[in-house]
Amino acid sequence: AQTIHQWPVAEIKAVGSPLSLGCTIKGKSSPNLYWYWQATGGTLQQLFYSITVGQVESVVQLNLSASRPKDDQFILSTEKLLLSHSGFYLCAWGQLSNERLFFGHGTKLSVL
Amino acid sequence: GDQVEQSPSALSLHEGTGSALRCNFTTTMRAVQWFQQNSRGSLINLFYLASGTKENGRLKSTFNSKESYSTLHIRDAQLEDSGTYFCAAEAADSNYQLIWGSGTKLIIKP
């Protein structure tokens, strides 16, 4: 069975500090991977997607970057956090022939 | 403008009753998914439809691409059905991106 793990579960960070969030998929080879952001009480906004190692496509510009260093790993990062980065970050995976998305449990980020 | 219009934005049901959520699309969509987000924030994939109707327990979903809408029916609602429900659709001219509805906050009362 496939499992998706996100870390950390929650972070409290200062404005201007760096950030790195991680996502690992187990039990599925060559998945399509996605990063989403959700404001409190809001809908989901897709940030990035990756269909293969080393390739990441940006959907919206939020002063964030993403990387896929391994087939099963997706990293979201920034060197300088803004207050507007606060929210809930979700990683998801899907397969090309059936793009049903499955999500991790998310990371709650508070920027102070 | 918004390509996915989800309604209602909030809904309160008593246990044992039912209702329907709806998403209307302003552009051609080739598939739709429905998710439930629970109180911990986890998103559960309920349905993926490229057409037609699917049923799973007390939930049933329909996607009509020609008439540009999708519905999620809940019957015999239970307390654990509480949460926020989202539809998310794939535009016909877009790959690897979903367009999300604004969500329906569902509260089930004893």
Side-chain angles (χ1 to χ4, degrees):
Chain A
Q2 300 83 20
T3 59
I4 177 168
H5 176 61
Q6 282 189 245
W7 73 92
V9 172
E11 279 266 48
I12 299 175
K13 303 279 280 185
V15 169
S17 64
L19 174 76
S20 182
L21 304 181
C23 173
T24 298
I25 318 299
K26 295 299 182 188
K28 178 60 70 175
S29 62
S30 303
N32 298 324
L33 298 176
Y34 306 81
W35 276 113
Y36 280 86
W37 172 80
Q38 184 181 30
T40 303
T43 190
L44 279 80
Q45 171 65 64
Q46 187 174 345
L47 301 175
F48 300 93
Y49 67 90
S50 170
I51 60 174
T52 192
V53 175
Q55 289 187 15
V56 176
E57 299 296 330
S58 172
V59 177
V60 293
Q61 293 294 328
L62 286 180
N63 293 303
L64 295 166
S65 60
S67 64
R68 187 165 176 181
K70 301 179 188 178
D71 185 54
D72 63 353
Q73 197 172 77
F74 207 17
I75 307 295
L76 184 70
S77 61
T78 182
E79 292 186 1
K80 203 174 271 193
L81 279 165
L82 307 172
L83 285 173
S84 56
H85 286 137
S86 291
F88 196 52
Y89 289 83
L90 290 145
C91 177
W93 72 270
Q95 206 73 53
L96 183 61
S97 61
N98 175 2
E99 282 290 1
R100 187 170 182 173
L101 286 193
F102 296 95
F103 284 83
H105 291 299
T107 295
K108 184 173 181 180
L109 174 66
S110 299
V111 182
L112 307 175
Chain B
D2 291 346
Q3 299 178 63
V4 178
E5 298 164 353
Q6 186 171 347
S7 62
S9 57
L11 181 62
S12 181
L13 295 175
H14 284 285
E15 270 187 300
T17 64
S19 189
L21 314 181
R22 185 177 175 106
C23 284
N24 291 325
F25 311 119
T26 58
T27 189
T28 302
M29 303 295 184
R30 61 181 170 207
V32 66
Q33 302 182 52
W34 283 91
F35 298 87
Q36 179 197 21
Q37 188 169 35
N38 63 24
S39 57
R40 295 181 301 280
S42 294
L43 275 158
I44 301 163
N45 191 301
L46 301 173
F47 293 104
Y48 174 92
L49 299 106
S51 65
T53 297
K54 287 187 179 179
E55 198 162 350
N56 184 4
R58 297 176 292 100
L59 300 178
K60 182 170 76 173
S61 182
T62 295
F63 174 44
N64 188 322
S65 58
K66 194 172 180 182
E67 297 186 16
S68 299
Y69 75 89
S70 178
T71 57
L72 176 69
H73 289 260
I74 302 173
R75 64 175 175 83
D76 187 25
Q78 303 296 306
L79 293 175
E80 61 264 28
D81 295 332
S82 293
T84 302
Y85 290 76
F86 292 96
C87 67
E90 301 172 44
D93 60 351
S94 177
N95 289 320
Y96 308 108
Q97 294 184 44
L98 294 180
I99 305 167
W100 291 73
S102 53
T104 296
K105 186 168 183 178
L106 176 61
I107 297 172
I108 308 299
K109 297 179 179 177

